[in-house]
Amino acid sequence: MQIKTVFQEAIADSEDLLTIAVITNVTSHCILARQLMDVLGKPPIHSDLEILGSDGTWTIAWSQPKLTLEAAIAALNQALAPMISETSTR
């Protein structure tokens, strides 16, 4: 899976930002969703994460948690390439 683009837009009549990311080469949207929830939190408790797409291209949108663009990109990178703990490789 690869990040194609990430950007933020202002939400009308609010100080909040909507973060939108387009992910390509998605082989399993189920795995993508699980990895995103591990990093951003489970909707509706910790995030307002929305995932839309088909085939290999998916669009991810959220306004909660509030992240800067740089933090959002770092979170997406973490979700797409999660670290394997030492205990799981033993």
Side-chain angles (χ1 to χ4, degrees), residues 20-23 26 29 32-33 36 49-61:
I20 301 167
V22 177
I23 309 297
V26 176
H29 66 279
L32 173 63
L36 287 168
L49 182 66
E50 291 189 28
I51 304 170
L52 303 160
S54 64
D55 297 327
T57 301
W58 289 77
T59 300
I60 316 307

Side-chain angles (χ1 to χ4, degrees), residues 13-70:
D13 300 323
S14 171
E15 293 184 17
D16 291 336
L17 294 173
L18 179 66
T19 302
I20 301 167
V22 177
I23 309 297
T24 59
N25 300 325
V26 176
T27 56
S28 170
H29 66 279
C30 294
I31 291 172
L32 173 63
R34 187 182 73 235
Q35 290 176 186
L36 287 168
M37 285 188 282
D38 286 347
V39 173
L40 297 173
K42 294 179 178 152
I45 300 166
H46 305 110
S47 72
D48 59 356
L49 182 66
E50 291 189 28
I51 304 170
L52 303 160
S54 64
D55 297 327
T57 301
W58 289 77
T59 300
I60 316 307
W62 76 91
S63 63
Q64 296 292 330
K66 294 180 182 180
L67 300 173
T68 64
L69 183 60
E70 293 79 17

